[in-house]
Amino acid sequence: MTIKKITAVLASVCCMLCLASCGDKSKSESSSDSGTNQSDGNTSNQNGVGDVVSPEEDSDEFDLGEYRVSDTGIKLYYDDSDIPTELMHTLENYFMTFQNDDFEGYKNILYPNYAERYNEYLVNEYSASLENGEKYDLKNSFNSACNSIRTNMMYELSNTQDGETYTGDFTITRIRAERPELDEGETIEDRKKEFFSYLDEIFDMDYYQTVSDDMENLEYVTFYIIAEGEDGEEHKILNDMGILFGLKDGVYYTFG
């Protein structure tokens, strides 16, 4: 899928995809920034990102808007006056753990109390379905998420070339994050509570309140992920999804 095709897709209404990701393909260099203007002459990275890049009007990237390039080479689309750069890095690192099949890195980004409670829930609820007394735990859940996002990539590839065999490996190239569009009468607090409703149920407690009391701040954003597939083209593999981060002692954590 070319950038122009991605732009057309972003303008349409897309279904929510299952939160997932994986792939052990190593991170390749991102596409060059030809046809773009830097906001000023200083291109050195600050806080792990470079200066704002404004694509030329005749560039394939123009309709995607301005971005900053992370130290990893991923293009990050966000308003740094509204969304903290460190939150963007956490979102980036979170999905990099799936790309690189990095379970330990994944656990480090999870809120520790959530990881402990959810692991216990998985063991108690799903281990009975396994043979030989094996346990279904957080690692199994991570692997399932890996398989799901690779399936998303394989679906995108199946729409571009017939007769090819793919594994679903991907390399993230672009991430956009922004505040959610709220329904009439809805508040951001409502959206946060909705995010925690499933955890409230399975943990049999007001987990939203527990987390709120422990955190300095809770941040809810929506995002999409664009990645390069095995065909060398970019594909949108996750779209219009919500994620919540909690800030504690200067570190952002997530839940899921």
Side-chain angles (χ1 to χ4, degrees):
M1 181 186 296
T2 64
I3 294 175
K4 289 183 179 179
K5 289 181 180 179
I6 293 172
T7 303
V9 172
L10 295 178
S12 65
V13 178
C14 298
C15 295
M16 294 289 286
L17 301 174
C18 294
L19 180 58
S21 39
C22 190
D24 54 6
K25 183 177 179 181
S26 62
K27 184 73 181 71
S28 65
E29 294 183 359
S30 64
S31 57
S32 66
D33 294 333
S34 59
T36 60
N37 286 329
Q38 298 287 344
S39 58
D40 57 46
N42 180 14
T43 60
S44 62
N45 281 10
Q46 299 179 8
N47 298 323
V49 295
D51 297 323
V52 173
V53 177
S54 301
E56 299 282 3
E57 289 189 15
D58 59 353
S59 168
D60 287 349
E61 296 184 311
F62 179 74
D63 288 338
L64 295 176
E66 296 180 335
Y67 59 85
R68 296 175 183 269
V69 180
S70 170
D71 283 345
T72 63
I74 295 175
K75 296 176 180 179
L76 303 178
Y77 296 78
Y78 70 107
D79 180 357
D80 64 354
S81 68
D82 181 36
I83 297 177
T85 296
E86 285 307 314
L87 186 153
M88 283 300 298
H89 280 313
T90 305
L91 178 62
E92 173 189 17
N93 291 337
Y94 178 69
F95 281 100
M96 287 289 286
T97 67
F98 295 122
Q99 173 185 297
N100 299 325
D101 196 13
D102 180 8
F103 178 61
E104 292 302 318
Y106 167 77
K107 287 196 300 182
N108 290 336
I109 297 173
L110 296 182
Y111 176 51
N113 180 273
Y114 161 81
E116 180 180 351
R117 288 180 182 273
Y118 192 57
N119 185 74
E120 181 179 357
Y121 166 78
L122 293 172
V123 170
N124 292 336
E125 291 294 320
Y126 296 103
S127 294
S129 63
L130 301 181
E131 299 178 353
N132 302 323
E134 295 181 4
K135 291 183 178 181
Y136 188 99
D137 57 13
L138 196 61
K139 181 64 162 63
N140 298 90
S141 178
F142 174 77
N143 290 340
S144 178
C146 288
N147 292 333
S148 181
I149 200 168
R150 294 182 72 176
T151 298
N152 290 345
M153 175 58 83
M154 291 172 68
Y155 175 79
E156 291 295 325
L157 294 173
S158 71
N159 290 329
T160 60
Q161 295 183 26
D162 294 330
E164 296 288 340
T165 300
Y166 299 109
T167 66
D169 285 351
F170 64 92
T171 301
I172 297 171
T173 55
R174 306 171 193 267
I175 301 175
R176 178 186 294 279
E178 55 196 0
R179 298 300 178 182
E181 293 186 11
L182 301 175
D183 297 330
E184 184 176 356
E186 184 185 24
T187 67
I188 191 65
E189 191 75 7
D190 294 332
R191 191 65 65 91
K192 293 176 183 178
K193 289 181 178 179
E194 181 183 2
F195 182 93
F196 277 100
S197 61
Y198 173 69
L199 299 180
D200 289 346
E201 179 181 349
I202 66 173
F203 295 160
D204 192 24
M205 61 183 296
D206 188 348
Y207 195 60
Y208 171 69
Q209 189 62 53
T210 298
V211 171
S212 298
D213 291 342
D214 190 47
M215 292 290 185
E216 300 163 28
N217 192 26
L218 293 176
E219 301 264 11
Y220 185 96
V221 298
T222 58
F223 67 93
Y224 70 67
I225 304 287
I226 291 175
E228 180 182 313
E230 293 160 273
D231 60 348
E233 300 289 344
E234 291 185 294
H235 303 267
K236 181 161 57 62
I237 55 176
L238 292 173
N239 178 70
D240 193 25
M241 300 191 65
I243 190 168
L244 190 143
F245 293 96
L247 179 64
K248 182 177 176 63
D249 299 328
V251 178
Y252 282 103
Y253 299 95
T254 192
F255 309 80

